């Protein structure tokens, strides 16, 4: 599915950015958490996959809240009231020709979704809340809050540091192997979504919000979800207990964001709640050979050449790679951002090795050295996405290769017997994040 177009709805004098995608039989309006940036959701393969999963059973409408992302900015001293926030939801639904929709809100977006469901029940077919809370502040009257009253000022200061310094330890994030790139992406999204002063002002507004009295007035079918290790578990349980008839589900893990962690579990639950049926996510598990390459010493070379010449050189790199892939029947995986590197798949390891050799040789004519890693294993393919342990192994093998070298995992040599390709044993290695020890081989010649 292509990245949807961003369009605008008019709410009062403000323009609210939104996107519509999917062709399901009902509408699903998504209200994001603290910060969002519509077009950056699609730059991150993990979040893009989650959005596509939702679009497989609903017509999805997602927007950037007033003052954030691609929507109009507001005066930090005149932040939108809850009523104005609800006006924005109505404006987006009207612009998207949505008379009635399921409303899905997560984290800070949950109280906005709850208010809308209580106020406009005729326009809400169901309500889904993930890792949300009726009140953020914890005190004697509300021990379920996630931020102690004594830490409110400290939290606001942490928010400012996260914007001005990109503090990597700030904010709930998944603790999985490949989350360094996700962390960088999230920090970029925060900064594009709001200025430091706006982030601080929105944090103060969130701390001042309390919708506990509204919960008993929600009379639409409601699902409340949270992960067991999320700091909002007590508050989410409180919401489920005080919304009449709400269903409460706790999932393993400690990831806060709706689109992180085990998506198949959480989004499958959303699908079953809204449709009565849980379908298996479309997947194609196949045996495939993955090839990773990257330019050796790219940072120092870029600094040496300057931005303009380095960009021209990368264009030549990409052209050469495309030519070699076409010759050897390889398919580039574009959904995974590798900067100056390559991830490609092949239906046979011999073609992957010969392609890697051709790329290494061709790059020397450009004055570049590349390293390459090849591994054959089972991968999961969804549209343009590629995942599975085989992808991680291929990346780790590539990282251990020397300049101009093609390194392969132990699964490859037995599969190219008779091809004329020979190998040099490089011994056993530990591959970061991959169980066990792996024997590696360098392609000779």
């Amino acid at each position: 599915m292509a990245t949807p177009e961003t369009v605008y709805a008019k709410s009062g004098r403000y323009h609210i950015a939104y996107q519509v995608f999917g062709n399901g039989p009902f509408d699903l309006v998504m209200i994001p958490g603290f910060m969002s940036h519509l077009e950056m959701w699609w730059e991150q393969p993990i979040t893009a996959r989650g959005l596509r999963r939702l679009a497989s059973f609903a017509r999805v409408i997602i927007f950037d809240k007033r003052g954030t992302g691609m929507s109009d900015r507001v005066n930090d001293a005149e932040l939108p009231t809850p009523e104005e926030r609800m006006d924005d939801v109505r404006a987006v639904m009207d612009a998207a020709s949505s008379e009635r929709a399921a409303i899905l809100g997560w984290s800070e977006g949950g109280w906005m979704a709850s208010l809308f469901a209580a106020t406009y029940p005729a326009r809400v077919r169901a309500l889904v809340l993930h890792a949300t809370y009726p009140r953020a502040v914890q005190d004697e009257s509300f021990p379920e809050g996630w931020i102690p009253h004594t830490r409110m000022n400290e939290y606001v200061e942490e928010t400012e540091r996260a914007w001005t310094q990109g503090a990597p330890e700030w904010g709930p994030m998944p603790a999985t192997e490949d989350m360094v790139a996700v962390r960088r992406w999230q920090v970029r999204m925060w900064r594009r979504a709001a200025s430091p002063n706006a982030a601080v002002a929105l944090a103060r507004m969130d701390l001042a919000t309390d919708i506990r009295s509204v919960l008993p007035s929600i009379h639409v079918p409601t699902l409340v979800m949270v992960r067991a290790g999320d700091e909002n578990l007590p508050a989410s349980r409180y919401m489920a207990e005080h919304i009449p008839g709400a269903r409460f589900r706790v999932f393993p893990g400690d990831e806060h964001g709706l689109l992180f962690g085990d998506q198949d579990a959480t989004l499958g639950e959303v699908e079953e709640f809204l449709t009565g049926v849980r379908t298996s996510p479309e997947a194609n598990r196949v045996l495939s050979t993955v090839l990773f390459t990257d330019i050796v010493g790219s940072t120092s070379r870029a600094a040496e050449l300057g931005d303009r010449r380095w960009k021209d050189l990368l264009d030549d790199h990409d052209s050469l790679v495309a030519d070699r892939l076409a010759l050897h029947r390889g398919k580039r995986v574009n959904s995974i951002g590798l900067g100056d590197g390559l991830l490609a798949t092949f239906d046979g390891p011999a073609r992957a090795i010969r392609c890697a050799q051709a790329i290494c040789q061709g790059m020397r004519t450009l004055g570049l050295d590349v390293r390459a890693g090849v591994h054959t294993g089972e991968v999961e393919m969804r549209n343009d996405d590629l995942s599975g342990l085989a992808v991680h192994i291929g990346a780790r093998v590539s990282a251990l290769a020397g300049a101009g070298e093609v390194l392969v995992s132990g699964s490859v040599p037995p599969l190219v017997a008779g091809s004329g390709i020979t190998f040099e044993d490089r011994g056993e290695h530990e591959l970061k994040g991959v169980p066990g020890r792996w024997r590696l081989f360098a392609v000779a010649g």
Side-chain angles (χ1 to χ4, degrees):
M1 184 177 71
T3 301
E5 180 185 4
T6 301
V7 291
Y8 287 87
K10 195 72 178 290
S11 181
R13 59 191 177 92
Y14 291 96
H15 296 86
I16 309 300
Y18 72 97
Q19 294 176 346
V20 180
F21 50 93
N23 297 300
F26 64 91
D27 291 342
L28 173 63
V29 175
M30 299 181 66
I31 303 179
F34 187 45
M35 290 291 167
S36 70
H37 189 291
L38 286 179
E39 296 187 353
M40 287 196 69
W41 287 119
W42 300 96
E43 295 180 12
Q44 172 49 244
I46 296 174
T47 54
R49 175 185 181 269
L51 293 174
R52 285 195 293 270
R53 174 68 193 277
L54 293 168
S56 70
F57 61 83
R59 175 179 177 255
V60 180
I61 304 167
I62 187 170
F63 65 97
D64 284 332
K65 291 176 291 188
R66 184 187 305 201
T68 69
M70 301 180 71
S71 294
D72 278 346
R73 294 297 191 259
V74 299
N75 187 322
D76 296 343
E78 299 176 357
L79 291 174
T81 65
E83 291 85 356
E84 289 170 328
R85 291 279 204 187
M86 288 190 291
D87 287 343
D88 295 346
V89 179
R90 284 193 301 131
V92 168
M93 290 180 66
D94 290 344
S97 300
S98 177
E99 292 295 326
R100 191 165 178 258
I103 307 293
L104 190 164
W106 69 87
S107 191
E108 186 262 357
W111 63 257
M112 186 173 168
S114 299
L115 276 175
F116 189 85
T119 308
Y120 303 104
R123 303 201 67 172
V124 180
R125 71 190 303 268
L127 174 65
V128 178
L129 304 171
H130 175 79
T132 191
Y133 44 91
R135 184 189 184 199
V137 178
Q138 175 192 116
D139 57 18
E140 292 182 359
S141 71
F142 189 64
E144 294 87 355
W146 59 265
I147 180 77
H149 184 270
T150 55
R151 282 200 65 242
M152 290 173 59
N153 290 335
E154 182 181 348
Y155 168 72
V156 171
E157 293 171 359
E158 289 174 356
T159 300
E160 185 173 17
R161 279 199 303 274
W163 260 255
T164 58
Q165 302 175 21
E169 74 282 359
W170 187 86
M173 283 296 298
T176 52
E177 173 63 28
D178 289 327
M179 295 317 292
V180 173
V182 174
R183 173 71 70 182
R184 292 177 182 149
W185 164 82
Q186 188 186 46
V187 171
R188 291 200 316 274
M189 184 180 74
W190 288 339
R191 288 174 165 176
R192 290 190 192 179
S195 67
N197 280 344
V200 167
L202 289 166
R204 291 187 187 279
M205 181 185 71
D206 188 33
L207 294 177
T209 300
D210 185 349
I211 64 161
R212 285 178 291 173
S213 63
V214 172
L215 302 182
S217 299
I218 297 174
H219 298 292
V220 300
T222 301
L223 168 66
V224 181
M225 306 188 303
V226 69
R227 294 189 176 95
D230 194 301
E231 61 187 353
N232 284 334
L233 174 60
S236 291
R237 180 179 288 110
Y238 179 97
M239 294 194 77
E241 291 172 348
H242 289 79
I243 296 175
R247 180 189 303 181
F248 185 50
R249 291 283 281 114
V250 179
F251 296 92
D254 59 2
E255 295 86 357
H256 179 69
L258 171 69
L259 300 178
F260 293 103
D262 187 350
Q263 287 183 354
D264 292 339
T266 54
L267 301 187
E269 185 73 17
V270 173
E271 179 183 17
E272 184 173 351
F273 177 71
L274 296 178
T275 68
V277 177
R278 182 189 298 233
T279 59
S280 297
E282 293 183 6
N284 184 19
R285 295 191 67 83
V286 298
L287 184 71
S288 183
T289 298
V290 295
L291 164 64
F292 277 86
T293 71
D294 75 288
I295 299 173
V296 178
S298 59
T299 302
S300 59
R301 192 66 190 279
E304 173 192 339
L305 294 176
D307 291 344
R308 179 70 175 274
R309 291 175 60 197
W310 178 244
K311 180 182 180 302
D312 291 342
L313 190 57
L314 286 182
D315 289 341
D316 292 338
H317 165 280
D318 291 348
S319 177
L320 187 149
V321 163
D323 177 70
R324 301 303 188 268
L325 287 176
L327 184 64
H328 294 89
R329 290 166 47 184
K331 179 181 179 181
R332 185 166 191 163
V333 181
N334 293 317
S335 62
I336 299 180
L338 294 173
D340 51 24
L342 162 74
L343 167 58
T345 60
F346 296 79
D347 55 10
R351 277 189 285 274
I353 291 172
R354 291 192 171 108
C355 183
Q357 290 178 308
I359 289 173
C360 289
Q361 292 165 5
M363 290 304 163
R364 291 195 186 102
T365 66
L366 300 179
L368 295 173
D369 280 320
V370 300
R371 58 170 66 90
V374 176
H375 173 67
T376 299
E378 189 178 56
V379 299
E380 183 174 290
M381 306 186 75
R382 287 188 177 90
N383 299 318
D384 294 328
D385 283 342
L386 190 69
S387 62
L389 185 61
V391 178
H392 297 288
I393 294 172
R396 303 299 182 245
V397 172
S398 174
L400 294 173
E405 185 175 56
V406 181
L407 205 61
V408 306
S409 71
S411 69
V412 172
L415 299 176
V416 297
S419 67
I421 299 173
T422 57
F423 301 92
E424 299 172 357
D425 192 338
R426 290 297 172 82
E428 290 188 342
H429 296 261
E430 290 186 358
L431 305 181
K432 183 180 178 183
V434 179
R437 293 180 62 81
W438 292 74
R439 184 169 292 278
L440 304 183
F441 299 84
V443 178

